[in-house]
Amino acid sequence: DVKVTQSSRYLVKRTGEKVFLECVQDMDHENMFWYRQDPGLGLRLIYFSYDVKMKEKGDIPEGYSVSREKKERFSLILESASTNQTSMYLCASSFYPGPHSNEQFFGPGTRLTVL
Amino acid sequence: SQQGEEDPQALSIQEGENATMNCSYKTSINNLQWYRQNSGRGLVHLILIRSNEREKHSGRLRVTLDTSKKSSSLLITASRAADTASYFCATDGASGSRLTFGEGTQLTVNP
């Protein structure tokens, strides 16, 4: 079975801190995604990556950056956390390369609170 | 705005009843997917239906797709308390790029 793991289930940070959210998948998937989920807004795509060292902006990239140095690991970085970044963050991966849509496998999520 | 929109936002039924959720979308798609999310957890893929398919079954799940109306429905038959979760539809664009998720339907199945 595909396993997508996220470094923390719950995280509390202070405004202005630099925050790293890590995601690792173990099935050699090409594609990886970061979403945030907020009540009434559904899932919104922050960044995605189709390959190592490749990244594409999603719908709400402002205030975030990403890193993909290895195929299995996709990191989301909040350079200077703000209270409006309090949210549930979900990482996902999918198998086929390129722009072909297919099933995404999700991690358990990280609930981030910024005080 | 979201590509996929689910209807209703919330649904409460008794165990054994059928649950129907609807999804509407705006642009052309290659496929449409349904996902389930238990409270506070990640999403789990349920079923994918391609744009050239009209109906698909998987166990107690039945999905229909009407591309002329840009809509899909998910039917869960003989519901169980364990089906209580949020259900999301997700669509890709005509170019087959990333998925766009709707806001979800919260299903509650009462024992």
Side-chain angles (χ1 to χ4, degrees), chain B:
Chain B
S1 61
Q2 295 288 338
Q3 163 78 318
E5 295 183 2
E6 286 91 345
D7 169 56
Q9 288 189 321
L11 181 61
S12 182
I13 60 174
Q14 295 300 122
E15 217 167 16
E17 293 180 343
N18 294 342
T20 300
M21 289 159 270
N22 304 296
C23 170
S24 60
Y25 57 92
K26 296 187 173 74
T27 63
S28 297
I29 61 171
N30 290 317
N31 65 61
L32 184 144
Q33 303 179 37
W34 284 91
Y35 288 78
R36 165 196 169 125
Q37 183 182 34
N38 285 64
S39 180
R41 309 295 295 185
L43 279 71
V44 176
H45 181 264
L46 294 175
I47 195 165
L48 180 152
I49 186 165
R50 301 196 185 282
S51 59
N52 60 356
E53 297 176 311
R54 292 295 167 258
E55 188 170 311
K56 201 162 183 180
H57 296 257
S58 176
R60 292 185 296 114
L61 305 181
R62 173 178 165 251
V63 170
T64 61
L65 179 64
D66 186 335
T67 53
S68 67
K69 295 181 180 178
K70 292 186 168 60
S71 68
S72 173
S73 68
L74 170 67
L75 169 67
I76 303 174
T77 60
S79 64
R80 305 165 182 168
D83 293 329
T84 294
S86 292
Y87 292 83
F88 295 85
C89 68
T91 54
D92 62 352
S95 63
S97 59
R98 85 251 182 142
L99 297 179
T100 301
F101 289 82
E103 294 179 22
T105 292
Q106 172 61 50
L107 172 67
T108 301
V109 181
N110 301 298

Side-chain angles (χ1 to χ4, degrees), chain A residues 37-50:
Chain A
Q37 184 178 25
D38 301 286
L41 297 175
L43 273 76
R44 294 180 291 168
L45 182 65
I46 305 171
Y47 267 97
F48 59 105
S49 170
Y50 287 139

